[in-house]
Amino acid sequence: MPLYSQIRQDLLERINKGELKPGDFIPSEQEISSRLSVSRMTARQALKSLCSLGIAYSVRGKGTFVSGMKFAKNVRKVQSFTDEMKSLGHKPSSRVLKVEDVPAPPEVASNLSLGPGELIFHLRRLRLADSVPMGIEDAYLLLRPYPELHASYEPQSSLYDFLWERYGLRIILADETIEAGLSSHEESRLLRIPKRSPVFVFTRVSYIRAHQAVEYVKSTYRGDRYKIVNQLRRVDLDAP
Ligand code: GLP
């Protein structure tokens, strides 16, 4: 086995055993070469091949990180980020980037049938699983029926739990579009991924009952941490 594959194998075992977790630093080229007395080139090759397997990724000027497994995103279920992460056995958390009441941007106003210039509650959060950044969510919520939303909602907590506990509202339906995209400079920085990395862009309108939309959300999720899982069914078998 070439030397670089042995080093890669050793790193893989540490990742599989959980000694190195998603988001952790992988020893640098320099550390590997001095600890194992191998050339920098060999160390670089080992790290490069881990990256090409999708098990690690490197960020210029920062180092190489463990990327971990992909989460299966069930796109047929209405679920909050908090519930989704808990059901997968991970600890959800949020870093709040913005909480504000703003005039609804045109795209939001048209999806939520708002009048021109009507104020809306805007919440921008970095969503994390076990402290690993997973996505950025920009949620816009109707303020008209819930004017004290801004004052009473604690933005670190689950938005959907709050809507339920405070107003007895449950999101039961959502129209969602999923597109492929490339992370912007800011998204790459927040998500700790290389610039222009593949991402999933979700646009969602959530309803508390048919035709009653309350939320518009634009989310950017890491392409290296998610995969879309769906169940498909033939629809023509019941046809006469
Ligand atoms: C999911 C949805 C978002 C929603 C969020 C609420 O991520 N895609 O539309 O705003 O959950 O999450 P939480 O209740 O954890 O704040």
Side-chain angles (χ1 to χ4, degrees):
M1 206 194 272
L3 197 48
Y4 86 88
S5 323
Q6 289 176 36
I7 300 169
R8 182 187 67 188
Q9 205 50 38
D10 174 55
L11 288 167
L12 267 177
E13 271 168 30
R14 291 178 63 192
I15 294 168
N16 289 337
K17 278 196 223 142
E19 280 172 33
L20 288 171
K21 297 195 172 50
D24 279 358
F25 272 116
I26 292 183
S28 67
E29 231 173 85
Q30 203 177 354
E31 279 170 75
I32 296 176
S33 79
S34 64
R35 193 163 48 89
L36 304 176
S37 312
V38 296
S39 72
R40 287 280 290 255
M41 241 239 315
T42 304
R44 187 175 318 144
Q45 229 177 334
L47 290 175
K48 250 185 135 176
S49 82
L50 267 190
C51 292
S52 66
L53 287 173
I55 287 160
Y57 60 95
S58 61
V59 181
R60 197 195 291 257
K62 294 253 165 73
T64 308
F65 301 88
V66 181
S67 48
M69 306 299 284
K70 286 190 176 178
F71 291 124
K73 199 155 190 46
N74 185 327
V75 286
R76 306 179 84 214
K77 254 194 206 166
V78 174
Q79 224 179 5
S80 70
F81 181 83
T82 303
D83 286 345
E84 184 192 357
M85 285 306 137
K86 283 186 181 162
S87 71
L88 293 168
H90 297 277
K91 190 169 165 274
S93 63
S94 300
R95 193 172 126 207
V96 181
L97 304 169
K98 223 173 237 173
V99 201
E100 56 186 4
D101 294 348
V102 284
E107 199 185 338
V108 181
S110 78
N111 276 288
L112 296 181
S113 315
L114 300 179
E118 189 167 334
L119 282 187
I120 191 138
F121 179 70
H122 174 212
L123 177 64
R124 180 170 170 81
R125 291 178 292 177
L126 175 69
R127 313 298 314 254
L128 306 103
D130 302 325
S131 313
V132 178
M134 300 299 293
I136 300 162
E137 295 180 344
D138 272 291
Y140 295 87
L141 272 117
L142 285 193
L143 264 177
R144 211 184 317 137
Y146 325 111
E148 75 285 23
L149 195 64
H150 197 152
S152 47
Y153 170 60
E154 162 48 58
Q156 300 279 355
S157 64
S158 159
L159 180 62
Y160 282 9
D161 285 355
F162 171 81
L163 290 177
W164 170 243
E165 284 153 20
R166 174 84 187 205
Y167 301 111
L169 293 181
R170 276 219 199 281
I171 305 293
I172 53 154
L173 203 70
D175 288 327
E176 197 162 68
T177 309
I178 307 167
E179 290 162 278
L182 293 174
S183 58
S184 67
H185 191 76
E186 196 206 2
E187 288 163 348
S188 308
R189 182 178 58 78
L190 290 166
L191 295 170
R192 288 199 238 126
I193 51 178
K195 268 183 235 159
R196 296 181 68 71
S197 293
V199 288
F200 291 109
V201 181
F202 284 66
T203 308
R204 167 157 160 177
V205 180
S206 316
Y207 302 83
I208 47 170
R209 61 182 74 90
H211 310 299
Q212 200 166 342
V214 293
E215 183 196 44
Y216 177 88
V217 190
K218 194 121 206 167
S219 314
T220 304
Y221 295 111
R222 285 172 60 163
D224 62 337
R225 300 305 311 279
Y226 276 109
K227 58 185 170 190
I228 307 291
V229 176
N230 214 339
Q231 188 183 53
L232 307 182
R233 235 172 252 264
R234 271 195 90 111
V235 289
D236 56 349
L237 285 184
D238 293 333

